[in-house]
Structures are given as C-alpha cells and as structure tokens.
Amino acid sequence: MKKYNYVLIGIVILCMIAFLWTNPKRLSLKLEGDSVLPSTLISESMEEEQDYNRGIEVPDNWIEEIDDKNSINAVIEVPEKIKKDGFKYAMGKSLKVNEMEIVKLLEEDYRLEKTLDNEEIIQYRGADEMYLYFPKENNYGVSLATQLGSYIRMAYREGMTSDYNRDKYRLETELEGFSLEECNERIRQICSAAGIEGEIETIHRALDYQTMADEARELHMDGSVTKPDYLWSVSDNSYYCTISQLCNGVKVIPSYLLTGYGDILNVGSHNCTVNKERIVSFYLDEIYEIQYGEEYLSLLPFSEILQRYKECVTSSLQTYETEVTNITMRVMTIGNEEEKEMVPVWIFLGTWSVEDEETTAPHAVFLNAVTGERL
C-alpha cells in the first residue's frame, strides 16, 4: 500500500511540473526589456483567466475641503478609453526630424539658403527675415521664425505676465478667409514632414487680425512700449495651434512642465502659427514613435490617487492656501535613452495663495498613475 501511495504522489508531482512547463506565462508577466515592475502589468492571458477590469472608475468632478488650507473643487478630465480599457504598456522611441523634408516643405514660400552648419546647429535663412534652426545634439528644438511671426507675438501673449491676453482670442473658431479645415491641412503637412505619426490632438486658437491690431505692443530696448509699425489686414488671420501626440488616447506632454507650471491644460509638445498663405512659425519638441506591448499597466484606483495628493499637500508648516480646480491625466516619458517609457500621470492643477500678501500663483502636483509617486 505504501508503495502504491508513493507512486501516486510521484505521478501528481510530474503532472504539476508538466503543467507549469507548458504554461510559462503564469510564472512571469514581464515583457522583454520592460522597466516597469512585473506586478504593475496585466497580461491578456491573465484577463482571460479572471474577469479583470483594466479600466478605472473616475467621477466627473470632486469637491472636498481637505483641511483649513487645502481644498478641491475640480472638474476631472480623463479619456473614456482609459476608464473603459485602461492603459496599455508603451515605449516611445525619440526620432530625429527630417531636415530635408522640412526644407522641402518651406522652400516655395521662403526660398531657403543654408547659412550655418557647425557642430551644434544647422541654420537656414529666407524671405520675410526667416530663420530655420536644426539642433544637432538634441532630437528637439527645431524651430521656424519669421518677421510676421514676430508681429504676431507682439499681439498674442500667453505667458503668465501682466500683459497676458490669450483669453481675447477664441478657441476652435473659424476665421474669415481661412477655415479650420484649411488649417488642419497645414498641420498635416508639418506632421508629415517632421515625422509625427499616429494619433494627435490639436488645439486651435483663432488670431483674428482686428484683435491683433488692437492688442499689438512693441517693447523697445529703453523699456518703452509703442504700437508696432505694421498695417494689419485680413490676410494676417492666423491660427496658433498646439499639437500633442496621443498615447492610449492621452496627451503626451514635455517633462519640463514638472518645473514650469504653464498652461498645462492647453499645452502641446509642438506648436505652430499658420495662415492661408503659409506656415508662419513653429517649434517642434521631442517626437516619438510609440510602440505598444501586449500588457496593460495596473492603474491605482482614483481614491488612492486622491489620498496620495492629500499626503503631498498637508503639512503643519504650510503658510499658504491651495485650491485645485482641474484634475486631468497626461503622459510623460521616463528615461534618458532614445527609447523611453510612456507613463500615465495624474495632474492636480489650481492655484496657491498667500492671503496677507494678496499673492497667487499656479499650483500643480504630478502623480505617477501606476505607483502614486510624486514626480
């Protein structure tokens, strides 16, 4: 009888070994080359074995008095795709902008001439005092500047300064003689030449010539400000556009926003100013070829993200007040190599203020949506 029991136990052990050998995915969820911890990934095979909900439940708004110095009265913006399907693991390969394609795109309007080529930069000059720059050391910073672009910058000021006037120009509004459809064709030309592929999201701000004529201010070296010597016309009607690549339907934003709390809700990695006649200016930040894996990241529940935010802002030494008015999700890149991990990030955005000094400034906290870590 004992011999029979030993034989039976041996058969069971052999069956278990065979089962594990033929099902290696049960042993590891790690993609080759991943920098994400295996515990943060959900494989498709795992979903088949258990009815796993990859998405997250997120309310449309949140109101809460955290303490006497910190509050939330916020609209929450996150793509429905994330709520339903979650976030698929992705890497972004940094691409070099194709110099010859950009030159070809601009040649007809500006009659370009290469005027500088050294270890750091390639420069072209052209009509309308045009400058076109290609940095050699970085995959970002390709820019186009013109005289008309300079006048437009005198009239459209989006920096958070005392002469800020961005709100005088409407979003997603048709301009006389230059439609949004025509603008989007210009953007497609820029993206094609630059090598921006896949999903993008564009925000269009209509710069109408009459408002620009009223708002234009020229700052001189002696500190004086005058109206620029320029005659505005309907042909100057332009769109200032911010362009964002999308990863899992979420906007990819540059990492410098971690230290410079600008217009995070409307910012894009790339921007351009275009009118009916030509491309007036642009700035291209890092461009990514986004490649998706098979696994999904395990996003923290929104309730836990809220708790992590509260831990960030509550302090007995705090001397200022904060109010969050927007909570949104964006994607940022992690890593210094050409291939970088695309990481979903929650942003709590609002203002901080010091009541006695009547001082207010932008307030932003960035939290990794997978780990809850503050960035």
Side-chain angles (χ1 to χ4, degrees):
M1 178 64 74
K2 287 183 178 181
K3 182 177 180 181
Y4 175 78
N5 288 340
Y6 291 148
V7 171
L8 184 59
I9 292 170
I11 291 172
V12 171
I13 292 172
L14 288 173
C15 289
M16 290 176 65
I17 293 171
F19 176 76
L20 292 174
W21 181 262
T22 56
N23 291 270
K25 286 187 177 180
R26 297 174 186 268
L27 301 177
S28 175
L29 298 176
K30 189 170 172 24
L31 279 172
E32 183 179 354
D34 282 349
S35 60
V36 176
L37 293 175
S39 61
T40 67
L41 296 173
I42 307 165
S43 71
E44 292 180 351
S45 61
M46 183 177 180
E47 292 175 41
E48 293 171 0
E49 294 160 10
Q50 52 184 314
D51 186 18
Y52 199 100
N53 181 14
R54 299 182 313 224
I56 53 174
E57 293 185 9
V58 181
D60 294 330
N61 52 69
W62 192 265
I63 300 175
E64 181 177 355
E65 293 290 332
I66 300 172
D67 55 30
D68 61 341
K69 288 186 170 61
N70 302 283
S71 63
I72 300 174
N73 186 0
V75 174
I76 304 174
E77 299 177 65
V78 60
E80 289 299 321
K81 183 176 181 179
I82 297 297
K83 294 180 181 179
K84 180 181 177 183
D85 299 327
F87 193 94
K88 199 167 191 178
Y89 179 82
M91 295 288 289
K93 181 180 180 181
S94 180
L95 301 177
K96 197 79 173 176
V97 173
N98 189 316
E99 176 189 344
M100 289 300 100
E101 287 298 317
I102 293 290
V103 169
K104 180 180 176 182
L105 174 66
L106 301 173
E107 175 61 35
E108 183 177 347
D109 292 325
Y110 293 106
R111 303 184 300 280
L112 280 69
E113 176 186 358
K114 184 183 286 189
T115 55
L116 183 63
D117 188 346
N118 58 31
E119 294 181 355
E120 298 179 351
I121 198 168
I122 296 173
Q123 174 186 283
Y124 289 83
R125 294 290 307 276
D128 193 29
E129 299 186 25
M130 186 223 74
Y131 285 87
L132 175 64
Y133 298 100
F134 293 91
K136 285 189 174 181
E137 296 183 353
N138 304 310
N139 288 357
Y140 57 87
V142 176
S143 61
L144 168 71
T146 62
Q147 182 63 48
L148 176 57
S150 297
Y151 285 124
I152 289 175
R153 286 197 302 275
M154 295 177 194
Y156 173 65
R157 300 177 291 277
E158 64 176 359
M160 299 299 183
T161 56
S162 59
D163 61 350
Y164 164 90
N165 69 352
R166 186 191 64 190
D167 292 342
K168 293 181 180 291
Y169 300 91
R170 293 172 295 175
L171 291 171
E172 312 305 326
T173 302
E174 298 278 346
L175 286 167
E176 179 185 353
F178 186 38
S179 68
L180 283 167
E181 184 178 350
E182 290 174 301
C183 173
N184 286 334
E185 179 56 34
R186 290 278 190 200
I187 291 172
R188 281 190 287 270
Q189 293 171 354
I190 295 171
C191 290
S192 177
I196 301 173
E197 298 181 348
E199 290 184 287
I200 65 169
E201 181 175 307
T202 304
I203 297 175
H204 312 77
R205 194 170 291 276
L207 310 181
D208 66 282
Y209 80 98
Q210 292 169 319
T211 303
M212 287 195 287
D214 292 338
E215 290 293 315
R217 304 286 186 274
E218 184 173 5
L219 177 63
H220 300 279
M221 294 294 292
D222 61 2
S224 62
V225 177
T226 64
K227 297 288 288 184
D229 184 18
Y230 183 76
L231 183 61
W232 299 89
S233 70
V234 68
S235 64
D236 295 318
N237 277 346
S238 304
Y239 291 102
Y240 174 76
C241 304
T242 56
I243 305 165
S244 300
Q245 290 185 261
L246 300 182
C247 177
N248 286 281
V250 183
K251 292 202 300 191
V252 180
I253 62 173
S255 57
Y256 65 74
L257 288 175
L258 289 171
T259 56
Y261 305 148
D263 182 22
I264 295 173
L265 296 179
N266 293 309
V267 75
S269 295
H270 322 290
N271 64 68
C272 64
T273 304
V274 298
N275 63 23
K276 191 175 183 66
E277 296 178 354
R278 57 190 165 113
I279 300 166
V280 177
S281 65
F282 61 63
Y283 177 84
L284 303 176
D285 207 282
E286 206 152 6
I287 297 170
Y288 297 103
E289 177 187 345
I290 299 174
Q291 301 171 330
Y292 292 94
E294 294 183 359
E295 279 83 359
Y296 286 77
L297 299 183
S298 179
L299 302 176
L300 287 178
F302 184 71
S303 58
E304 188 164 342
I305 292 294
L306 271 174
Q307 182 58 36
R308 298 293 179 92
Y309 171 75
K310 295 174 189 178
E311 292 170 1
C312 290
V313 297
T314 53
S315 168
S316 59
L317 301 177
Q318 185 173 327
T319 59
Y320 54 88
E321 298 179 1
T322 70
E323 181 182 24
V324 170
T325 52
N326 292 91
I327 303 173
T328 189
M329 181 177 283
R330 294 291 188 265
V331 169
M332 305 185 87
T333 59
I334 291 182
N336 296 319
E337 304 300 326
E338 283 196 0
E339 290 199 23
K340 303 179 182 181
E341 189 174 341
M342 313 297 281
V343 178
V345 175
W346 283 106
I347 304 176
F348 288 73
L349 184 65
T351 57
W352 66 261
S353 60
V354 180
E355 185 175 356
D356 294 343
E357 300 177 11
E358 297 184 355
T359 301
T360 61
H363 165 73
V365 172
F366 297 75
L367 299 175
N368 187 314
V370 177
T371 66
E373 175 189 6
R374 183 172 185 176
L375 302 177

